[in-house]
Amino acid sequence: MAQAEEKREENHVLLVAFSSQGHINPMLRLGKRLAARGIHVSLATTEIVRHRMLKSSGAGPADHVTGIELLFFSDGLSLDYDRKTNLDVYMDILGKHGPSNLSALIKEHYTSPKKLLCLVTNPFVPWVSDVAAEYNIPCAMLWIQPCALYAIYYRCFNKLSAFPTPTDPDMVVELPGLPSMEKEDLPSFVLPNNPFGSFPKLFSELFQGMEKFKWVLGNSFYELEKHVIDSVCELYPIRPIGPLVPPTLLGQDQELEDASVDMWKSDETCIEWLTQQPPSSVIYVSFGSIVVLPAKQMEAIATALKNVKRPFLWVVKPPEFPTPDGAGQLPSWFLEETKDQGQVVRWSPQTRVLSHPAVACFITHCGWNSMLETICSGIPLIAYPQWTDQPTNAKLIVDVFKIGVRIKKEADGNISSEVIEKCIEEVMVGPVAEQLRKNAMALKAEAQKAVAADGSSDENIRLFVEEITCDSCKKDGSPNVGNLSHEGQDKVSDKGV
Ligand SMILES: O=c1ccn([C@@H]2O[C@H](COP(=O)(O)OP(=O)(O)O)[C@@H](O)[C@H]2O)c(=O)[nH]1
Ligand SMILES: O=C(/C=C/c1ccccc1)O[C@@H]1O[C@H](CO)[C@@H](O)[C@H](O)[C@H]1O
């Protein structure tokens, strides 16, 4: 056997991620933490990612990210297919073609696939566990949203608690370890008016077949979500190993390289601009990589930013498939009328922005990666959630973590610029702002402790590596090592705040 293959198969873990940046980057950072403990790691994802990475860098094909080998398989669709608009078709085709294409990739790259220590997957590609079973490899899942979402979906899709129905759409949901949740606080995929049928189907199969996963790891930390983490211990435990964010946000060695991919080229000029702004003065605004706001909402945000007369940095990512209704586009007057007040970029180096001393707060769609990055930067948030986990993430920000406020929608679903202006003033000045900043700084310190040597997340990574490399637990064919997880959790619980 060639030396490279030998190395690839010895002490090797294969990560498999869905094609979005927000799923791949936490996976790569998990890979980095495994590599730091002597594990060889590769990451497989779909061809569309390679295509976007090439477009963003303009360079040759990337085959490694800081020592982690990248492998690609087809999702069954052409590269120019509009996956976002046709979400259900996309998830369906991916579910049909993904398993055989991933299986072929494993056969092609690994002479003895069963020597792999384990496959690690994420929630949007749950069928990876069937591919793992085909090769008799244990499978783990990295849950890439808050543990609260794991608990909600587990209970919803196993019918353990009551959730809104078409006849009772407004019911308030009560779950252990979480505050009471109204419909605007629940993930959109559990609501009766959710338009994407593929996700409830996917989550039903996933949460009714959890025994396929020997381990469930979470991109969170125990001290952040301890009540809800404890609440699922008896159901199917989740071990928090995060936050999986760049090392620079965690107070770790500045020399440590991040493991991440960039699907869009970031505009670095904004850092220079930030450096010219007073400390804690800038409002950072971004709605992540997927959300495209309707023109009316863009107008309300634009008006509010102009009226508050504070410096701002707004990421306006041009829609991949533009529409004639002006969605995702700035009002025509905005750039001219605010040219001395703020900056607009197509894509920012977000983690550098959030940790810049000039940044005061973040108006966000509440994607979980953005939230963790903000928590690790110790600044308050203004939540404007759109879909999937985001409404629940907003609820956590306001009522559990207490590090931000939420932009309330009008009865017709729109937002008014006055409400946004009020939110901005609330997080910038006065006693509420002061308390939010204090809470944010305290959480930042907890996050750093969790990932430092012997912190709760570091300990959970250590346990995971111990278990995947231990011969007796590696290949015993039994489902979930529930007791081990539970013991591990108890161990961590003792350290809880
Ligand atoms: O201008 C931007 C906007 C976002 N991001 C990164 O893109 C990810 C967005 O993930 P998230 O889960 O917050 O939202 P999604 O884009 O998946 O909806 C985060 O890591 C951000 O740091 C970035 O680098 N530049
Ligand atoms: O990254 C995604 C991907 C969504 C997607 C894109 C195209 C087709 C189907 C689905 O979603 C974000 O993931 C984050 C982590 O799970 C989450 O916190 C954000 O809210 C999502 O926007």
Side-chain angles (χ1 to χ4, degrees):
M1 190 195 289
Q3 221 185 4
E5 270 173 14
E6 240 172 56
K7 192 175 162 220
R8 191 189 272 152
E9 287 176 8
E10 166 209 328
N11 250 8
H12 201 108
V13 165
L14 177 62
L15 313 171
V16 186
F18 182 71
S19 59
S20 83
Q21 178 156 331
H23 293 216
I24 294 170
N25 286 347
M27 274 292 217
L28 284 171
R29 291 180 184 126
L30 166 63
K32 198 86 200 289
R33 291 188 193 171
L34 298 178
R37 292 181 183 266
I39 307 286
H40 296 126
V41 184
S42 302
L43 179 136
T45 186
T46 54
E47 291 285 355
I48 186 75
V49 176
R50 171 160 48 193
H51 176 68
R52 289 207 187 112
M53 282 167 71
L54 283 178
K55 249 173 99 176
S56 130
S57 70
D63 54 6
H64 278 84
V65 173
T66 57
I68 299 173
E69 181 185 26
L70 299 181
L71 304 167
F72 300 95
F73 58 98
S74 165
D75 61 12
L77 289 161
S78 67
L79 291 176
D80 58 0
Y81 185 77
D82 180 354
R83 288 163 174 75
K84 212 194 112 201
T85 306
N86 305 291
L87 211 51
D88 283 340
V89 177
Y90 175 31
M91 297 313 285
D92 185 49
I93 302 277
L94 175 63
K96 280 196 181 118
H97 294 266
S100 53
N101 292 346
L102 174 66
S103 178
L105 175 147
I106 293 176
K107 255 193 217 129
E108 185 194 335
H109 285 86
Y110 299 91
T111 318
S112 320
K114 60 179 189 300
K115 278 199 192 158
L116 278 164
L117 295 178
C118 84
L119 293 196
V120 184
T121 185
N122 64 28
F124 284 16
V125 283
W127 42 262
V128 170
S129 60
D130 300 323
V131 180
E134 183 189 327
Y135 290 109
N136 199 19
I137 310 165
C139 193
M141 175 165 67
L142 173 65
W143 184 257
I144 36 107
Q145 294 179 351
C147 297
L149 270 291
Y150 175 79
I152 293 169
Y153 287 140
Y154 191 97
R155 289 180 193 278
C156 176
F157 293 109
N158 282 299
K159 302 190 173 27
L160 300 179
S161 308
F163 280 83
T165 59
T167 49
D168 190 2
D170 297 324
M171 72 165 289
V172 174
V173 174
E174 306 284 351
L175 300 178
L178 287 167
S180 305
M181 281 175 292
E182 304 198 14
K183 72 169 180 242
E184 56 270 24
D185 305 324
L186 288 165
S188 57
F189 297 147
V190 306
L191 296 178
N193 63 355
N194 159 49
F196 304 109
S198 50
F199 284 95
K201 186 167 164 269
L202 187 144
F203 285 141
S204 290
E205 281 164 19
L206 173 67
F207 283 98
Q208 288 167 21
M210 285 299 292
E211 71 288 347
K212 293 179 183 172
F213 300 98
K214 215 160 160 153
W215 303 271
V216 182
L217 309 174
N219 185 11
S220 187
F221 55 103
Y222 182 75
E223 294 74 9
L224 185 69
E225 293 196 90
K226 71 176 165 181
H227 297 300
V228 77
I229 291 169
D230 289 345
S231 81
V232 291
C233 246
E234 300 299 316
L235 299 174
Y236 216 83
I238 183 164
R239 298 181 194 188
I241 48 121
L244 298 166
V245 297
T248 45
L249 285 189
L250 291 165
Q252 292 175 327
D253 190 344
Q254 296 296 311
E255 300 300 305
L256 271 182
E257 231 185 319
D258 184 27
S260 62
V261 296
D262 290 309
M263 293 202 207
W264 298 278
K265 195 173 168 45
S266 55
D267 184 340
E268 305 287 324
T269 59
C270 60
I271 299 293
E272 219 179 289
W273 177 83
L274 281 176
T275 306
Q276 290 154 18
Q277 308 308 314
S280 295
S281 65
V282 175
I283 305 158
Y284 175 57
V285 189
S286 164
F287 300 98
S289 58
I290 296 144
V291 164
V292 178
L293 291 183
K296 249 187 169 171
Q297 299 179 17
M298 294 291 287
E299 175 92 32
I301 295 167
T303 307
L305 288 176
K306 184 183 165 217
N307 287 351
V308 295
K309 298 188 174 60
R310 294 178 182 278
F312 66 82
L313 171 62
W314 188 355
V315 178
V316 181
K317 182 174 170 285
E320 241 167 295
F321 298 89
T323 50
D325 58 6
Q329 283 166 35
L330 286 171
S332 53
W333 52 266
F334 185 73
L335 288 179
E336 178 55 31
E337 292 189 25
T338 59
K339 63 178 188 301
D340 300 324
Q341 188 190 339
Q343 260 228 341
V344 173
V345 292
R346 289 165 158 243
W347 191 251
S348 80
Q350 181 163 299
T351 53
R352 289 177 64 205
V353 168
L354 289 171
S355 55
H356 196 287
V359 172
C361 67
F362 182 13
I363 304 186
T364 170
H365 71 309
C366 304
W368 187 233
N369 293 291
S370 295
M371 282 186 53
L372 286 176
E373 290 159 6
T374 314
I375 286 171
C376 295
S377 305
I379 57 170
L381 300 124
I382 299 176
Y384 187 44
Q386 303 298 310
W387 71 314
T388 168
D389 56 338
Q390 297 155 16
T392 315
N393 299 350
K395 176 76 175 170
L396 296 173
I397 288 178
V398 178
D399 288 347
V400 181
F401 311 154
K402 299 188 187 340
I403 53 169
V405 299
R406 181 173 181 161
I407 298 173
K408 293 252 159 43
K409 283 187 181 163
E410 314 276 285
D412 63 1
N414 280 315
I415 43 170
S416 81
S417 54
E418 291 82 8
V419 169
I420 305 172
E421 286 164 38
K422 257 196 207 135
C423 287
I424 293 175
E425 291 311 317
E426 210 178 342
V427 301
M428 295 290 288
V429 284
V432 173
E434 204 174 305
Q435 189 58 51
L436 293 174
R437 269 199 295 273
K438 255 193 207 152
N439 296 348
M441 288 308 286
L443 270 190
K444 173 183 171 172
E446 291 294 348
Q448 294 192 350
K449 257 204 270 174
V451 294
D454 299 330
S456 55
S457 291
D458 183 61
E459 176 72 356
N460 277 340
I461 291 268
R462 190 192 63 72
L463 272 171
F464 178 60
V465 170
E466 195 175 288
E467 288 162 23
I468 58 174
T469 49
C470 139
D471 276 332
S472 56
C473 22
K474 206 161 58 184
K475 299 281 166 162
D476 65 1
S478 61
N480 175 47
V481 280
N483 287 336
L484 274 175
S485 298
H486 201 121
E487 275 169 29
Q489 200 57 66
D490 281 345
K491 233 173 162 175
V492 191
S493 303
D494 295 337
K495 297 183 174 175
V497 284

